[in-house]
Amino acid sequence: MFDISSRKLSDERLHQSQKLEAIGQLAGGVAHDFNNLLTIIEGFAKRALAKADDSAQVRSSLAEVVTAAEKAAGLTRQLLTFSRKRTIARESVRISTLFDELAMLLRPVLGERIELVFLPPERDLGVDTDPGQLFQALVNLAINGRDAMEGSGRLTVRATAADVDETRAGRYPDARPGRYVALSVADEGTGIDPKVISRIFEPFFTTKEAGRGTGLGLPMVYGFVRQSNGFIDIDSAIGVGTTMTLYLPLSEPAAVASAEEMGGTAFRARGETILIAEDEDALRRLAKSILEELGYTVLTATDGIDAIEVDEDCEGRIDLLLTDVVMPGLDGIGAAQAIVQRRPDIKIVFMSGYPSRGDLSRGDLPRGVTLLEKPFNAYSLARTLREALDGTTSATETEAVAPPAPERYGT
Amino acid sequence: MTIELKDLRVLVVEDSFQTIALIRTMLTDFGITQIYTAKDGKEALDFLGTCDELIDIVMCDWNMPRMSGLEVLRQVRTVDPDMPFLMVTGAADPDSVLAAKSNGVTAYIAKPFSANILKKKLNVVARLLSVRHG
C-alpha cells in the first residue's frame, strides 16, 4: 500500500523548503547591501550627533536617524538569520537555565492575562546551539502566541527528549534522523488559517494588523533552526490553538559529570569567572559544561586572539584564564601575556597535550601559571582550577592528580 | 614594547568612498594618524608589495568588485603570515567564515558597526602587536 497523502505532504514541504531557499538567497543579498548603507548612515549620524551644537532640533533629528538606523540594522540581522548568512555560536545550552531566563523575561512581556506554564524535561537536557538566537526564537514564538490569544489564555513552553527515526525524519525536508530536544511553544489562540500556513516562514508575510509585526519573527526562527541542523513542526487548528515545535540537536550527555567525579563540593566555584581559550570545539564545550556544573561563570574563546577580544569586551572580573597552549593565530602563551598586562591578578592554567612540555619552553611565562596535562578528566580539571584560584599550587608546577573516573578528555 | 591604539598604521581597503570617509573619521577620532586607503584589492596588494613595513593592520571589505576580501587575504598571507587582517563584512555565512579562518583572518567586524566596536577590535590588534614585539 502506498500512502498518497503522506507523499503529497512531503512534496509540499519540499516545495516550500525550496521556495524559502530561493527567497533566502534574495533576502541575504538585500540585507548585505543594506548593511553597507546602514554603516554609512548610522556612522555619520552618530558622528554628527557627537559634534552637533546645542540646537535641540538638530540633536533630536539626528537622534531619530540613529534610532531608525539601529532598528533597520535589527531587521537586516533577522533577514540574515533567515537566509543563514550569520554565523552561529555552538554551545551546550541547558534547558533549566534557558527556562529560568525565559521566565524572567517573558512574564512582563506577555502581561498578567497570559498564564505562562513551563514543562521542563524529567531530567535536565542540553541542546547544541547558539544560546542568544535560541532565546530570541522562543521569545518570537511566545509573542506570536500572545498575539494569537488576543492578550489572554495559557502559553505552554515544553521541552522533551525526542528520538527521530528515518520514517519520521522523512516527513520533513530539512530533518535528519538523530537525537533531538523538542522545544515547543503552545498557545490557545485563533490557530493558523490552513490557506496561509505554507507561507508563514516567508519574510515580511504577516497576518498581524499593520504596524504590529515586522513579518521577520518566524523567518528568523526558521533560519536559526535550519542552521542549527534542526527542523520545525507546526500543529495548528482553527479556534483551538497552535503548537510550534523546534527540534534541535541534543547535546551529548558525556558533557555532564557527576558531583563525585568532580570532587564533591570541595572544588566548587566561589563566585569566580573563568575564561576558556581552546580551538578544539568539542573540548571547549566540554570544559565549559563541567565548569558551569561547578558553578563558575564561564566565558569562551576559540583561539588566542579571540581570548583577547573577550577580555577586551569584559568589563567585569575574570579570575582565571584556562587556555590551550598551541592554537592558530596566537598561542595560549601570547594570549596569557596580553591578558596579564590588563589583569595582573588573573590566574593562568595552561592545558597542554605535550607531556614533555616542549610547547612551554618559551621564556617569560606569566607568573602564577599552572599546567593541566591533557588528557584530563572532570576531577582533575575541577581540582586544578580550585587550587590555582586558591593559590595552593606553585607556579608552572604540575602534579599527578589521581582521577577517580576513567573518562579523560582532550586526547 | 607597548603599542597603543594611536600608534597603529592602518590600510583600509574598501570600494565605497563614503565608507572609507566614515572609517577615516573614526580612526582619526581614535588618534590614529597613519591611515592609508586602497579602493580595491589590487591597489592594496600593489601598496603592500612596496610598503609592507609601513602597515600594522589591513582592514578590508569582504565584498568588492574584481577581487574579494578573501582573495586579498589569501594573497597577503602568502607573503606575510602574521599581518593582522580585519575583515569587514555585511554578511558572514558559515562557509565564508570557515574559508576566511582557514586562510588566517585575524578578526571580523560586521556591518553596520559603531566606532566603539571598531575601537575594541583595533585595541585587540594593538595588544596582539605589543605581545609579538615583546
Side-chain angles (χ1 to χ4, degrees):
Chain A
M1 197 167 69
F2 190 73
D3 183 354
I4 294 175
S5 62
S6 166
R7 169 72 184 272
K8 194 172 166 219
L9 184 64
S10 289
D11 285 351
E12 272 175 20
R13 282 178 171 159
L14 181 63
H15 173 72
Q16 182 59 16
S17 170
Q18 287 166 341
K19 186 176 166 191
L20 289 173
E21 192 70 36
I23 298 173
Q25 291 286 336
L26 181 68
V30 171
H32 173 264
D33 287 348
F34 260 82
N35 272 342
N36 278 338
L37 296 171
L38 286 170
T39 305
I40 297 163
I41 296 168
E42 193 182 334
F44 276 119
K46 277 186 175 166
R47 184 174 162 76
L49 191 58
K51 307 269 178 193
D53 56 24
D54 291 336
S55 160
Q57 198 179 357
V58 171
R59 295 191 66 84
S60 74
S61 301
L62 287 169
E64 290 288 350
V65 175
V66 170
T67 306
E70 284 170 352
K71 270 189 192 164
L75 294 180
T76 56
R77 266 197 300 277
Q78 301 210 50
L79 265 183
L80 287 170
T81 307
F82 165 70
S83 54
R84 288 175 280 140
K85 297 277 185 201
R86 275 181 81 190
T87 42
I88 69 167
R90 283 288 162 87
E91 287 180 23
S92 178
V93 182
R94 290 295 175 91
I95 296 298
S96 53
T97 313
L98 178 73
F99 277 15
D100 287 349
E101 289 174 0
L102 266 180
M104 257 195 308
L105 182 105
L106 283 181
R107 289 217 155 87
V109 170
L110 298 179
E112 288 173 5
R113 290 166 57 216
I114 301 276
E115 185 192 352
L116 182 59
V117 178
F118 284 95
L119 298 175
E122 283 178 16
R123 63 177 180 85
D124 196 13
L125 299 170
V127 281
D128 196 13
T129 190
D130 184 311
Q133 293 197 42
L134 173 59
F135 193 79
Q136 180 66 54
L138 291 170
V139 168
N140 288 356
L141 293 181
I143 288 172
N144 281 356
R146 176 199 66 187
D147 292 348
M149 293 190 285
E150 289 164 353
S152 67
R154 178 188 294 173
L155 190 86
T156 308
V157 185
R158 179 199 296 264
T160 53
D163 284 329
V164 174
D165 59 19
E166 289 272 0
T167 314
R168 195 164 163 204
R171 292 182 205 142
Y172 305 87
D174 314 323
R176 289 186 205 143
R179 303 182 70 199
Y180 290 85
V181 173
L183 264 165
S184 64
V185 177
D187 66 57
E188 299 172 336
T190 50
I192 306 170
D193 184 341
K195 280 185 270 183
V196 303
I197 206 161
S198 64
R199 298 192 60 199
I200 59 170
F201 294 123
E202 291 176 16
F204 305 114
F205 178 81
T206 180
T207 55
K208 295 180 186 178
E209 61 194 75
R212 284 208 70 184
T214 59
L216 285 173
L218 286 179
M220 177 269 153
V221 175
Y222 174 83
F224 153 70
V225 171
R226 284 216 49 197
Q227 205 170 347
S228 300
N229 299 321
F231 60 99
I232 304 176
D233 180 73
I234 310 164
D235 182 11
S236 185
I238 295 291
V240 178
T242 300
T243 302
M244 292 276 220
T245 307
L246 315 183
Y247 287 83
L248 295 166
L250 181 78
S251 278
E252 287 309 312
V256 181
S258 71
E260 290 71 32
E261 281 171 344
M262 291 189 280
T265 56
F267 304 141
R268 288 193 65 78
R270 291 171 206 150
E272 293 102 339
T273 298
I274 311 279
L275 168 57
I276 303 171
E278 166 64 62
D279 59 321
E280 179 77 36
D281 289 350
L283 190 56
R284 187 179 61 250
R285 285 204 297 262
L286 179 66
K288 178 175 190 278
S289 171
I290 293 169
L291 296 184
E292 283 181 339
E293 190 74 16
L294 287 161
Y296 290 104
T297 301
V298 181
L299 307 170
T300 56
T302 54
D303 56 40
I305 295 169
D306 193 27
I308 304 178
E309 269 199 68
V310 174
D311 171 64
E312 189 76 30
D313 270 342
C314 179
E315 305 288 342
R317 284 184 61 85
I318 300 177
D319 300 282
L320 185 144
L321 168 69
L322 172 67
T323 177
D324 192 12
V325 176
V326 181
M327 289 186 289
L330 178 69
D331 62 20
I333 299 169
Q337 285 169 336
I339 290 170
V340 163
Q341 279 180 2
R342 188 164 179 245
R343 301 176 191 269
D345 296 331
I346 195 170
K347 303 290 196 311
I348 312 283
V349 175
F350 284 114
M351 298 178 275
S352 168
Y354 298 87
S356 64
R357 300 184 208 169
D359 54 343
L360 275 178
S361 58
R362 204 162 110 182
D364 59 7
L365 283 175
R367 281 186 299 168
V369 161
T370 305
L371 183 66
L372 175 65
E373 287 186 1
K374 294 179 184 176
F376 56 82
N377 62 19
Y379 176 86
S380 55
L381 177 63
R383 179 175 168 181
T384 305
L385 261 54
R386 190 64 266 156
E387 289 179 348
L389 285 162
D390 293 343
T392 51
T393 44
S394 55
T396 56
E397 182 177 290
T398 15
E399 51 186 297
V401 183
E407 191 156 18
R408 313 200 92 185
Y409 310 121
T411 46
Chain B
M1 185 170 88
T2 304
I3 294 174
E4 292 182 30
L5 182 66
K6 65 178 177 49
D7 301 328
L8 290 180
R9 300 165 302 175
V10 185
L11 171 62
V12 182
V13 191
E14 168 66 66
D15 60 311
S16 153
F17 71 89
Q18 296 110 316
T19 308
I20 285 189
L22 174 67
I23 293 172
R24 186 187 280 283
T25 55
M26 286 177 174
L27 297 177
T28 308
D29 284 350
F30 304 155
I32 295 174
T33 53
Q34 298 183 69
I35 306 162
Y36 303 85
T37 60
K39 66 177 185 308
D40 58 34
K42 186 177 178 308
E43 200 173 292
L45 292 171
D46 286 347
F47 179 82
L48 287 169
T50 51
C51 313
D52 178 49
E53 71 286 352
L54 287 180
I55 297 299
D56 292 316
I57 174 173
V58 178
M59 186 177 165
C60 183
D61 188 29
W62 185 301
N63 275 73
M64 293 184 294
R66 292 180 291 280
M67 189 186 291
S68 71
L70 186 60
E71 187 52 35
V72 178
L73 169 63
R74 279 197 189 113
Q75 297 210 25
V76 166
R77 283 288 169 262
T78 59
V79 290
D80 191 340
D82 292 328
M83 169 72 79
F85 196 103
L86 178 58
M87 191 74 89
V88 183
T89 170
D93 58 286
D95 291 343
S96 307
V97 170
L98 201 63
K101 272 197 168 177
S102 62
N103 281 283
V105 75
T106 311
Y108 295 91
I109 189 159
K111 290 179 182 177
F113 56 86
S114 65
N116 271 345
I117 297 282
L118 178 59
K119 195 174 186 179
K120 276 185 180 172
K121 297 279 179 186
L122 293 176
N123 268 329
V124 170
V125 171
R127 291 173 68 186
L128 172 68
L129 291 172
S130 298
V131 168
R132 280 190 182 155
H133 296 174

